[in-house]
Amino acid sequence: MDITNTIRGIANWYFSKKALPYWCVLAIDCSIIVFAGMLATYFIQGGNSLSTHFWRHLLTWVLTLPFFIVGMRVFHTYSGIMRYSSTIDLVRQAFALIIGFVLVIAFIELVPYGSIIHNTRRITFIVMFLLSLFGQWGIRILIKYLYEVVQVTNKRTRVAIYGVKEGGLSIAQSILKNPKSRYEIGGFISPDGSLHSKYLMGTKVRRIGPHIIQHLKKAGIKAIIVSPLQVDNFRENEELINKLIKANIKILMMNSAEEWDPSKPILQEQIKDVEVEDLLPRDKIEVDIMAIGAMLQGKTILITGAAGSIGSEMVHQVAKFSPKHLILIDVAETPMHDVRLYMNRKYPDIPCETIVGSICAPALMEYVFSHYKPEYVFHAAAYKHVPMMENNPGVAITNNVYGTRVIADLAVKYGTKKFVMISTDKAVNPTNVMGCSKRICEIYCQALNAHQQGTQFITTRFGNVLGSNGSVIPLFREQLKNGGPLTVTHPDIIRYFMLIPEACQLVLEAGTMGKGGEIYIFDMGKPVRIADLAQRMIDLSGAKDVEIKFTGLRDGEKLYEELLNDQEQTLPTIHPKIKIARVREYPYEQALANEETLFKLAAQYDDMAIVKKMKEIVPEYKSQHSKYEVLD
C-alpha cells in the first residue's frame, strides 16, 4: 500500500509540472537509441565482445546519433508532448528512425570500416533499429497510460460499499473492471458485522460501530455506495445516516433491488446521489403481479388525469401488462404530449389514444366511452391543491365532484367492469374544500355502486406521494436552489408519505381485489415531521446558512392527516398494506340530489353558499384557518 502511494505521489508530482522541454525529450530518445544499440550488440555479437570492447561499442552508437537526430529534426518528434501521444505521433517516430537507419547504413557503405564507426554487423543495426522503435514507442505509451491513470485517480471519489454480499460485490467488481470509473474502492461496511476486520478485494471490511465515521475518514472515504440488497436495512439506520451527513460523507445509492439485475454489469449512471425520499423509512410493498396482469392484459383501459403525477405513473405501470388499448385523458396539453412521446418510444405496439380534454365536458366524454367502451377506468383527475380550492370552491365542485359523476355515470352506461377512483386522506374529517369535495365523490361512487349491478366502483385513499407536482419536496428543492429559506407552515406539522410507484401498485392491487363499494385505505407507514424533512434536505445538499422559516398554517390546512373518520372502522384484506374502511353510506337518490344542488350552486360562484351545502352533505367537515369557519 505504501509503495502504491509512493508511486502515485511521484506520478502526481511529475504530471503536475509543465511538459518536458524539447531537449529533455531529445535526450530521452537518444538514450534509448544508444541503449538499444548496446543491447543489440549483446544479442548478436555476444557478451564477450561487449565486455571486451565496451567503450568502442558505446562510441559506435553515440557516433550514430547525429544521423538519427536528422530524422527527428525532419519530423519534429522531440516537439511532441509525450503524455498526449497519439497514433500519428508513433508513426512519425517510426519514420524518423527509418531516416536515421538509412543514413547510418549509407554512411557505413561510404566510409571504410574502423575509421570512425567500429566494425559492426549489419544485422546488429537492424536489431538496434527495432529495439529503438519499440523503446521510443513504449516510453510514450507508458507515460500516456500513467497520465491517464493519474488523471482518473485524481478525479475519483474514494468510496466504501455498504454491504458485503452479492449486491456489494457486484458493485465492487464493476468499479474494478472499469478503468474510467469515477470511484475507487476504499473498503466495505458490513451491516450485520460478518467478515469484520477481514479483507475483501484487498480492502478492509468494517462493522457499524461508534467509531465507524472516524475509520471512514482515516481511510479517506468521501462517499458510501449502498448495495441494492441493503437499501431497506440502511434506510432504517437513522443514527448512521445522520452521522454520515454531518461528516460530509456523501451517500450514493443503486436502483432498488426489484430493478437491479445481478446478471448485468452495473453502469455508472445507475449509481446516484441519494435523495431525501430515498431515506424516508418505509416498508417494502409487495403486490400480486399475476392477479394484476390477469385483470389488465388484453383489456381496454381508460385513465383520467393521465398527465398528472399519479395518472402518468398509472400509465407506466398499466402499460407493462400489455393492455389491448389505452385511452388517456387530461386537460394539460404539454404534459400529455410528453406522455404520448413516452408511449410511442417505450410501448409502440400498444394502441394509445391521448385525448386533451376535460372530464367536465359531457359530450366529449360520451364520445370517448361510446367509441372505445373501456373495460376498466382509473380515475385520477382532480384538482388537489388545498389553498387553491379553498379560494375556488365552485371550481372544486365542477371539476372534482361533477367531473367524477360524468365519468362514473358513463362507466355504468357503457358497461365498464371496474371503476377505480383515487381519493385522498384529506377526505377524512375534512377541514378544507378540496378534502370535502373528494369525500362527496366517494359518497356518490359508493351510492352508485349499490344502485346498479354492472359496474364495480372501488375507491382508494392514501396520503401525500413523494415528488408529486406541487408537493413539498419539489418546493424545497427549488427554494434550496435559490438559496433559501425553506418555508414550513408549522413546526409540528406532520404528513404521511408514499412513493408514487408504490401508491400506484396498491391502487392496482385494490382494483383486483375489489368487488364494488369498498373504500380501501393504504398503510402509509410512519408519519414524517415536515420541519425534519426540510432540515434533512438542507443537510444533504451541503448548503450552509439556509434557514427554515415558519409561515403559519394555510387556509384549510391541519397539522396532521387522518386516514379514517372517527366513526369508521376497518376490515383487513389479503394485503397487509390495504384495509377496507367501513363508512356511512348514502342512498343513491340522496347522493344524486346533493350533487345536482351543489352543481347549480357552483355555477353561481357563491363561495359561502357552496361551502354551506358541502357542510350539510358532509357533517364532519369542519373548516380550519379558513373564512368558512363562520359556517360551523
Side-chain angles (χ1 to χ4, degrees), residues 115-150:
S115 57
I116 298 178
I117 297 179
H118 179 67
N119 185 11
T120 304
R121 296 166 60 183
R122 303 293 190 277
I123 187 65
T124 306
F125 282 102
I126 294 174
V127 173
M128 180 275 294
F129 166 77
L130 294 174
L131 291 175
S132 297
L133 180 62
F134 294 141
Q136 291 183 4
W137 278 0
I139 193 69
R140 281 162 173 78
I141 292 171
L142 177 62
I143 289 176
K144 180 180 175 66
Y145 172 76
L146 288 175
Y147 176 71
E148 289 178 350
V149 168
V150 168

Side-chain angles (χ1 to χ4, degrees), residues 42 208 220 421 567:
Y42 175 80
I208 299 171
M421 188 189 81
Q567 305 300 318

Side-chain angles (χ1 to χ4, degrees), residues 363-374 410 414:
L364 174 60
M365 294 301 103
E366 178 91 30
Y367 169 79
V368 170
F369 273 85
S370 64
H371 189 73
Y372 297 108
K373 295 183 174 57
L410 289 170
Y414 289 98

Side-chain angles (χ1 to χ4, degrees), residues 62-193:
V62 170
L63 290 174
T64 63
L65 288 178
F67 303 103
F68 288 100
I69 290 173
V70 171
M72 297 176 195
R73 179 74 178 89
V74 171
F75 287 96
H76 297 282
T77 57
Y78 48 79
S79 299
I81 302 174
M82 286 197 285
R83 68 186 70 171
Y84 301 132
S85 295
S86 64
T87 305
I88 294 175
D89 295 314
L90 299 183
V91 171
R92 292 166 66 86
Q93 203 73 34
F95 281 128
L97 285 172
I98 289 171
I99 288 176
F101 176 74
V102 170
L103 290 176
V104 169
I105 297 300
F107 183 76
I108 291 173
E109 294 296 332
L110 295 174
V111 178
Y113 291 131
S115 57
I116 298 178
I117 297 179
H118 179 67
N119 185 11
T120 304
R121 296 166 60 183
R122 303 293 190 277
I123 187 65
T124 306
F125 282 102
I126 294 174
V127 173
M128 180 275 294
F129 166 77
L130 294 174
L131 291 175
S132 297
L133 180 62
F134 294 141
Q136 291 183 4
W137 278 0
I139 193 69
R140 281 162 173 78
I141 292 171
L142 177 62
I143 289 176
K144 180 180 175 66
Y145 172 76
L146 288 175
Y147 176 71
E148 289 178 350
V149 168
V150 168
Q151 286 294 94
V152 171
T153 302
N154 288 342
K155 293 177 182 177
R156 281 179 177 171
T157 301
R158 192 166 174 79
V159 299
I161 296 175
Y162 186 92
V164 294
K165 296 181 181 177
E166 185 181 6
L169 291 177
S170 294
I171 294 173
Q173 288 166 354
S174 294
I175 290 173
L176 290 174
K177 289 177 182 177
N178 184 359
K180 295 184 179 180
S181 173
R182 296 192 301 259
Y183 309 110
E184 177 188 5
I185 299 173
F188 288 82
I189 298 174
S190 173
D192 58 5

Side-chain angles (χ1 to χ4, degrees), residues 523-542:
D523 180 357
M524 299 292 292
K526 300 175 183 177
V528 177
R529 190 167 168 265
I530 302 301
D532 294 340
L533 183 68
Q535 187 60 55
R536 173 63 60 82
M537 289 189 71
I538 293 171
D539 294 339
L540 281 174
S541 72

Side-chain angles (χ1 to χ4, degrees), residues 454-526:
T455 303
Q456 299 174 349
F457 285 86
I458 300 153
T459 297
T460 59
R461 273 185 195 166
F462 50 89
N464 300 274
V465 286
L466 291 166
S468 65
N469 297 328
S471 68
V472 68
I473 290 179
L475 173 64
F476 285 165
R477 285 201 181 103
E478 185 64 27
Q479 291 175 336
L480 272 172
K481 191 187 301 181
N482 296 326
L486 270 58
T487 54
V488 179
T489 56
H490 192 283
D492 298 324
I493 193 167
I494 62 172
R495 288 292 181 266
Y496 293 92
F497 286 102
M498 181 176 282
L499 288 179
I500 295 175
E502 293 175 347
C504 291
Q505 287 172 10
L506 291 178
V507 169
L508 293 174
E509 179 86 341
T512 62
M513 67 173 66
K515 303 302 180 185
E518 303 97 340
I519 294 180
Y520 288 107
I521 60 172
F522 298 162
D523 180 357
M524 299 292 292
K526 300 175 183 177

